[in-house]
Amino acid sequence: MENKRNKFLTVTAAALAVTAVAVVPASAASPFSDVKESHADFEGISTLYAAGIISGYPDGTFKPDTNVTRGQAAKMIAGALKLDTKEVEDPKFTDISASNPYYGSIAALVGLNVITGYGDNTFRPNQTITHGDLAKILASIPTLPELESAKNHEASEKVTRGQLATFIAEALTKSNPETPETPETPETPETPETPETPETPADAFSLSILHVNDTHARANELPKLATAVKEQREAKKNVLTLHAGDAFNGTLYFNEFHGQADLALLNEIGFDAMVFGNHEFDLGASPEGHQALADFVKGAKFPFVDANADFSADAKFTGLFTDLISSEPENGKIYSGIVKEIDGEKVGIFGLTTEETVDIASPDKVTFTNYIEEAKKAVAAFEGMGVNKIIALTHIGYNDNPNVDNDILLAKNVPGIDVIVGAHDHTKLDEPFVVDTNTVGEAKDATLIVQANEYVKYLGTLDVTFDGDGVVTEYGGELIDLGKVAEDETLVKLLAPYKAKVDEVNNKEIGVTLKEALANPRASETSLESVRSNETALGNIITDGMLAKAQKYTDKTVVMALQNGGGIREAIPAGNITVGQVITVLPFGNTLALMDATGAELKAAFEVSLKNAPKENGGFLHIAGAKLQYDSSKEVGSRVVSIEYLDKATGKYVAIEDGKTYTVATNAYTAKGGDGLDMFAKAYEEGRVTDLGLSDWENLQEQLLSLKEVKTTTEGRIVDVAKKQ
């Protein structure tokens, strides 16, 4: 852990006295259902359990292979040292309030200078701890002997709960060499005043939440999700499975089946609730309107929750929608919220969809109201029903546009929400993010925020324990990498007919024939010509399509479009173009975004784009609607010679001015600061980016179809003046 202070106080041996414990023999019965005798850390875990230092989770598990957070490590160490965690001095970390379950342990160890925080005055209790960090902590306790087991790991390797138990058990048993290693009947030790995990109160309730989001028609990945969900359900009890929205749009599975392929597999996996994402409303402007969405809802073997969406004006949802909270929800219906009874306990779940949907999708007659107001109403309704464990299933973004809505603001503004399962900005939260202060910095009961990235890459897991008042007392969460999970054969068979159709369409010709290939060059020993360092005809067609499409979605003048060269993956050969070939050019499922940026920011972005010129850079920006001149012989950061955009009113090119703000089109990856474009990341954080949610490969296909002649030569949009000299 990084040092918060420059000087360490001397830690007295008396303050950190270690009480020896007896080693539990390997033949002893396992204290936890998931810690078998064959487990590498069985002895250490059993020893601490027998000593009363740990008690595990209420479901009878210990989760030995889960990574330990800084807060959990502090609690276990303080328990082993029998420290007073009640009468402690406030450590004054900005991210820990007195309501935090690890507050007392952290404060006690900080007071003895065993642990410290970070230079920004935070402790980061939910950050996982490495073996290097742990070694520093253990070394600061003079009463602990040198641990052989702690030497067998790389410093950067993360510590698991089982490993930490083994280290502490070794330290406690070694502290008294006269203690026999394997007594036949170990003495029952006195229970420490502050064990690592206190005995669970009788009214405590533990819940395991499995969650996915932004699956975007990746039906082909759902068989892996099914396997992971099944394994989690077998290992845990009191399990909720939630989908945080955006199942629609992104692959040919949606183009062909409008959600039905995904629904067949989602029904087989089994969900408890789903909220609508903005992409669920993409078809509202089509001749059929929201018929596909209505059919999706009707066919679902789970209910939908959405407290700030009103479907009442669209006749297609008649009989499917109510703005009430139901304690007896039906599958295939939409509610403001629902109450699930799990192991005799009531859990409330309500949904929220971003208000940006009006601008970035086609909701038509479906309307949206303020997320904070509706959340407060939902919480009040649940509490009126005697429900004190409340989950918000949201599609508003973890830390998205603060001018509209996001999960952090929701947690700070609305008391009573215990867990937020989020989506929309495709954030990968490796562990739960805790909000325990309100908008003015006052302490509040913890709200846990989780999100599982995108495209069925991960299954999110959250294990949370509530006290009798519904307050979160313990939690742990992680993402399961589905790339390492085998496919469920039942779902593979279920997917087969849909996959056969998609494979057929993949080979379907779009109706455009190329006389010459649209090249996608890469640098070689004989040539520096590359899509990552030079203008290309394919890059021009892509950006032309982006510019034309973006202008249809705003009244502002879109002056240029930008596409990163690293995102253009394949050439299109001569001959009849197929759908599959278009997709392989832009395979990442990126979406079109509008961004307001200053001339100075655009200039800085192009400097990053050109930093490796004339060599390759994946962040090299192709452009439409503008011309760029640069000098690759100049120093990095000073290479832009001129940037001009085409003034459509005069038909002339006009120089970009540093102090003016311009609207540009790009893909969502670039708009969020990908490829080191920090100035764009800043624009995104400040709410100057709107993701239109339009598929990049579909835009390219549409642009190709619109051309009378497909040019396979460049136009001088990007010119290196050094080559003219």
Side-chain angles (χ1 to χ4, degrees):
M1 298 183 181
E2 296 180 27
N3 292 339
K4 180 184 175 187
R5 306 177 181 87
N6 293 326
K7 294 183 179 180
F8 286 91
L9 300 174
T10 301
V11 182
T12 66
L16 295 172
V18 177
T19 303
V21 299
V23 177
V24 172
S27 59
S30 175
F32 303 108
S33 61
D34 58 348
V35 182
K36 306 303 181 185
E37 288 80 1
S38 58
H39 195 282
D41 300 305
F42 169 79
E43 188 175 283
I45 294 169
S46 300
T47 297
L48 294 193
Y49 176 77
I53 295 172
I54 59 175
S55 60
Y57 290 88
D59 64 358
T61 65
F62 184 74
K63 300 178 177 56
D65 301 315
T66 301
N67 292 332
V68 169
T69 65
R70 288 163 58 85
Q72 291 169 338
K75 192 170 185 178
M76 193 180 292
I77 293 170
L81 296 173
K82 304 176 80 170
L83 299 181
D84 182 357
T85 59
K86 298 187 182 298
E87 298 297 326
V88 292
E89 183 179 347
D90 185 357
K92 294 183 172 59
F93 292 121
T94 58
D95 58 345
I96 299 179
S97 68
S99 63
N100 189 289
Y102 307 117
Y103 175 85
S105 300
I106 292 169
L109 291 172
V110 167
L112 293 171
N113 214 28
V114 171
I115 58 176
T116 56
Y118 288 83
D120 61 356
N121 215 35
T122 64
F123 184 78
R124 306 176 195 174
N126 303 312
Q127 180 175 297
T128 52
I129 193 169
T130 66
H131 282 272
D133 291 334
L134 182 62
K136 293 178 183 178
I137 295 173
L138 299 179
S140 69
I141 305 174
T143 53
L144 289 185
E146 188 175 11
L147 304 182
E148 291 300 321
S149 59
K151 298 178 181 179
N152 301 325
H153 300 274
E154 294 291 332
S156 60
E157 183 184 341
K158 292 181 179 179
V159 184
T160 66
R161 285 170 56 85
Q163 289 169 344
L164 181 57
T166 294
F167 297 156
I168 293 176
E170 180 185 343
L172 297 182
T173 54
K174 279 189 174 182
S175 64
N176 186 349
E178 295 181 3
T179 303
E181 286 194 4
T182 56
E184 293 183 6
T185 308
E187 294 183 9
T188 303
E190 294 183 6
T191 302
E193 294 179 8
T194 54
E196 184 271 333
T197 304
E199 291 298 323
T200 305
D203 58 358
F205 172 69
S206 291
L207 180 68
S208 291
I209 300 172
L210 309 180
H211 58 97
V212 292
N213 58 277
D214 297 281
T215 54
H216 283 292
R218 265 59 175 189
N220 55 310
E221 300 296 335
L222 293 177
K224 294 181 179 180
L225 177 67
T227 297
V229 168
K230 188 178 296 184
E231 290 174 348
Q232 288 292 305
R233 286 174 177 159
E234 289 174 353
K236 300 174 179 178
K237 66 176 184 177
N238 299 344
V239 177
L240 270 178
T241 308
L242 304 174
H243 194 307
D246 269 7
F248 278 21
N249 224 331
T251 74
L252 284 173
Y253 282 100
F254 180 75
N255 294 53
E256 292 302 308
F257 304 109
H258 287 179
Q260 290 303 307
D262 302 85
L263 184 62
L265 276 69
L266 293 175
N267 279 340
E268 184 67 24
I269 292 170
F271 282 79
D272 291 285
M274 177 178 171
V275 68
F276 298 102
N278 52 288
H279 282 283
E280 268 70 77
F281 301 96
D282 281 347
L283 299 178
S286 67
E288 298 80 17
H290 288 309
Q291 188 60 54
L293 180 57
D295 291 341
F296 187 85
V297 171
K298 291 175 187 175
K301 295 181 180 179
F302 47 84
F304 294 81
V305 290
D306 214 323
N308 72 323
D310 185 353
F311 293 80
S312 59
D314 192 326
K316 289 182 173 60
F317 297 96
T318 301
L320 301 179
F321 166 73
T322 175
D323 60 0
L324 300 176
I325 289 175
S326 174
S327 57
E328 296 181 352
E330 297 179 33
N331 295 337
K333 297 292 178 67
I334 306 167
Y335 303 91
S336 174
I338 62 175
V339 177
K340 296 279 293 186
E341 186 163 324
I342 304 171
D343 196 23
E345 295 285 338
K346 294 180 179 180
V347 178
I349 308 167
F350 72 97
L352 295 170
T353 299
T354 177
E355 290 180 68
E356 280 188 305
T357 301
V358 174
D359 299 317
I360 61 179
S362 301
D364 195 31
K365 297 177 183 178
V366 180
T367 58
F368 301 88
T369 47
N370 182 264
Y371 74 119
I372 289 177
E373 292 178 6
E374 297 300 336
K376 288 180 178 178
K377 291 178 185 176
V379 170
F382 283 128
E383 291 177 343
M385 299 167 73
V387 179
N388 60 14
K389 291 169 278 293
I390 300 174
I391 300 169
L393 184 57
T394 73
H395 198 92
I396 62 177
Y398 158 67
N399 194 19
D400 200 32
N401 190 342
N403 298 319
V404 182
D405 43 30
N406 70 46
D407 289 330
I408 294 177
L409 290 176
L410 175 65
K412 286 184 173 293
N413 279 279
V414 184
I417 300 175
D418 300 296
V419 176
I420 298 175
V421 177
H424 185 49
D425 54 357
H426 297 215
T427 300
K428 181 173 177 278
L429 290 178
D430 291 303
E431 56 191 29
F433 180 83
V434 182
V435 176
D436 56 8
T437 57
N438 62 17
T439 55
V440 294
E442 298 170 337
K444 62 178 283 293
D445 290 337
T447 301
L448 310 178
I449 303 176
V450 294
Q451 192 179 146
N453 196 215
E454 61 185 8
Y455 306 155
V456 204
K457 293 177 181 176
Y458 301 94
L459 170 65
T461 68
L462 174 66
D463 300 313
V464 58
T465 300
F466 303 89
D467 65 15
D469 296 320
V471 176
V472 174
T473 57
E474 293 183 47
Y475 64 91
E478 62 180 342
L479 301 181
I480 296 173
D481 186 349
L482 296 178
K484 302 176 181 178
V485 176
E487 293 183 318
D488 181 275
E489 288 303 318
T490 299
L491 267 77
V492 170
K493 293 177 181 177
L494 191 59
L495 180 67
Y498 300 105
K499 184 177 184 299
K501 178 64 175 176
V502 165
D503 290 344
E504 177 186 335
V505 175
N506 219 17
N507 296 319
K508 183 179 179 181
E509 296 175 357
I510 71 170
V512 176
T513 302
L514 292 180
K515 294 179 181 179
E516 296 180 41
L518 280 168
N520 194 53
R522 291 296 304 273
S524 64
E525 294 182 1
T526 58
S527 173
L528 289 176
E529 193 76 14
S530 172
V531 66
R532 301 187 177 202
S533 59
N534 303 98
E535 175 189 350
T536 67
L538 183 53
N540 288 349
I541 293 171
I542 292 169
T543 51
D544 283 345
M546 295 167 71
L547 185 62
K549 195 72 170 181
Q551 191 61 75
K552 296 178 181 179
Y553 283 78
T554 180
D555 293 330
K556 300 177 183 178
T557 298
V558 185
V559 300
M560 70 178 73
L562 309 172
Q563 166 68 41
N564 60 313
I568 306 174
R569 307 301 289 188
E570 295 289 342
I572 302 180
N576 296 328
I577 301 175
T578 66
V579 173
Q581 288 171 337
V582 176
I583 293 174
T584 58
V585 173
L586 299 168
F588 298 119
N590 244 313
T591 51
L592 184 62
L594 288 172
M595 174 170 57
D596 290 332
T598 65
E601 287 173 327
L602 290 172
K603 181 179 179 181
F606 279 113
E607 290 290 0
V608 174
S609 165
L610 301 166
K611 65 181 181 179
N612 294 345
K615 296 181 179 180
E616 292 185 321
N617 171 24
F620 177 82
L621 296 173
H622 294 258
I623 59 175
K627 290 183 177 180
L628 168 70
Q629 291 193 19
Y630 70 99
D631 189 340
S632 62
S633 68
K634 299 295 185 182
E635 290 185 9
V636 173
S638 302
R639 293 182 165 180
V640 172
V641 175
S642 66
I643 310 170
E644 298 175 311
Y645 70 94
L646 180 63
D647 185 340
K648 295 178 182 177
T650 64
K652 296 180 180 180
Y653 282 89
V654 180
I656 293 289
E657 298 180 31
D658 286 355
K660 285 189 175 182
T661 297
Y662 303 90
T663 300
V664 301
T666 186
N667 60 58
Y669 169 78
T670 298
K672 292 180 180 180
D675 295 316
L677 296 171
D678 295 339
M679 69 299 297
F680 287 175
K682 181 174 182 288
Y684 180 81
E685 290 170 1
E686 293 177 356
R688 292 187 274 137
V689 173
T690 299
D691 188 340
L692 298 176
L694 302 170
S695 167
D696 54 1
W697 71 263
E698 290 183 275
N699 289 344
L700 172 57
Q701 178 174 279
E702 187 176 321
Q703 180 64 13
L704 287 166
L705 287 166
S706 74
L707 298 175
K708 293 181 180 179
E709 179 187 357
V710 180
K711 293 183 179 180
T712 56
T713 57
T714 57
E715 305 169 5
R717 298 182 185 184
I718 304 174
V719 177
D720 182 0
V721 298
K723 293 182 179 180
K724 295 181 179 180
Q725 300 172 2

